[in-house]
Amino acid sequence: MELKNLLLEVKNRIATVTVNRPAAMNAMTPETLEELQRTVAEIDGNDEIRAAVITGAGAKAFIAGADISLMRDMTSTQARELALKAHGIFAAIERSSKPFIAAVNGYALGGGCELSMACDIRIASDNAKFGQPEINIGILPGFGGSQRLPRLVGKGRALEMILTGDMVDAAEALRIGLVNRVVPQDELLSEAHKVAAKIASKGRVATRLCKEAVVNGLEMDLARACAYEAELFGYSFATADQKEGMSAFLEKRAPVFQDR
């Protein structure tokens, strides 16, 4: 798969996707979105991949927003189509059976912040900064920021970030629940890969069911979500991995999952 704006490396069952436009602070372009769409589909369809890490090239930026020079003269229809394109890609990340980890180095603004929020886990370097500054250029978040941010940090904090356009640093992002953990810049990728490797060591079926339970259940009322969880829980007892996992626990040995 030929990529110009992204790098894709698969090693030890972990895919690492790097947005590779450091001279432009990894600003997101329509071409980058096209490549990301293909890359997410490739990762989701590859049974050898168990988890994915998304990061940005260089130490300055994860993704410092969209490329405004390419957006300035868009028509209303073109802008809506761009937003729908991003929504589809970010939804594919959420729906993927593979957990995605955002390793956020430096600025994660606009579409960069929105991409990180579509990932399942966010790990930030201590120099990371997050923001939805679209209001400063006369628009609103268009890649899911107005919806995912309040779901993660609450309505009040989300509206403050969106309406002021102010950034929050890594420590504040951790405090409000926007990221899972903060690590020194030079430990970011190793920490993200450490988490990915731990996830990759689990059974693939249980990993998929856990992600489905959380992601799909959040869109339901509590009663329906619990019923949905019970269905998935029951299904997990029809798998070979359940038999192996419980037998290994009782026999005090490491399980050897068969992913079925």
Side-chain angles (χ1 to χ4, degrees):
M1 183 171 58
E2 185 178 350
L3 299 170
K4 295 181 180 179
N5 297 304
L6 302 180
L7 301 175
L8 173 63
E9 180 185 29
V10 179
K11 185 177 180 181
N12 297 328
R13 304 188 296 180
I14 299 167
T16 302
V17 181
T18 305
V19 182
N20 190 35
R21 299 184 70 227
M25 302 280 280
N26 300 321
M28 192 175 291
T29 65
E31 186 178 32
T32 306
L33 284 174
E34 289 285 349
E35 292 185 9
L36 185 59
Q37 182 179 46
R38 289 189 280 123
T39 301
V40 170
E42 168 72 19
I43 290 169
D44 193 44
N46 187 334
D47 288 342
E48 298 303 312
I49 296 173
R50 301 300 186 88
V53 173
I54 299 181
T55 193
K60 290 185 177 180
F62 175 68
I63 297 172
D67 193 323
I68 305 303
S69 65
L70 298 177
M71 296 176 64
R72 182 182 57 186
D73 297 323
M74 280 185 176
T75 66
S76 176
T77 299
Q78 289 171 328
R80 179 176 180 273
E81 289 174 351
L82 181 67
L84 291 174
K85 179 80 166 180
H87 285 313
I89 297 165
F90 294 178
I93 290 172
E94 290 179 325
R95 291 195 306 267
S96 173
S97 61
K98 316 295 172 65
F100 278 74
I101 299 169
V104 181
N105 46 315
Y107 291 105
L109 307 177
C113 186
E114 288 163 314
L115 173 57
S116 76
M117 290 190 292
C119 292
D120 302 294
I121 296 169
R122 284 159 296 285
I123 300 174
S125 64
D126 51 11
N127 71 328
K129 293 184 183 296
F130 297 81
Q132 297 293 159
E134 289 87 351
I135 198 166
N136 295 329
I137 54 172
I139 59 174
L140 71 156
F143 291 4
S146 68
Q147 304 306 309
R148 289 189 178 91
L149 187 57
R151 284 168 166 79
L152 285 169
V153 306
K155 176 184 173 183
R157 290 192 179 100
L159 277 172
E160 181 178 0
M161 288 178 65
I162 291 169
L163 292 176
T164 64
D166 289 345
M167 294 184 291
V168 298
D169 62 19
E172 179 66 2
L174 180 64
R175 189 186 73 82
I176 65 178
L178 184 52
V179 300
N180 296 72
R181 63 185 73 177
V182 176
V183 298
Q185 168 72 34
D186 59 359
E187 298 176 14
L188 177 64
L189 273 182
S190 63
E191 182 69 13
H193 283 124
K194 187 186 301 182
V195 174
K198 181 175 286 191
I199 293 171
S201 72
K202 314 300 181 185
R204 191 171 65 200
V205 178
T207 298
R208 173 176 60 82
L209 293 177
C210 286
K211 183 170 174 179
E212 286 181 9
V214 173
V215 173
N216 295 335
L218 279 171
E219 303 305 316
M220 306 175 189
D221 62 67
L222 183 59
R224 287 198 305 134
C226 287
Y228 176 62
E229 179 191 76
E231 290 296 321
L232 297 180
F233 183 69
Y235 175 80
S236 71
F237 276 72
T239 67
D241 282 355
Q242 175 266 331
K243 303 297 186 293
E244 167 61 13
M246 292 191 174
S247 295
F249 177 83
L250 294 172
E251 295 165 13
K252 295 181 172 55
R253 59 176 175 83
V256 181
F257 293 120
Q258 302 174 43
D259 299 325
R260 58 186 178 86

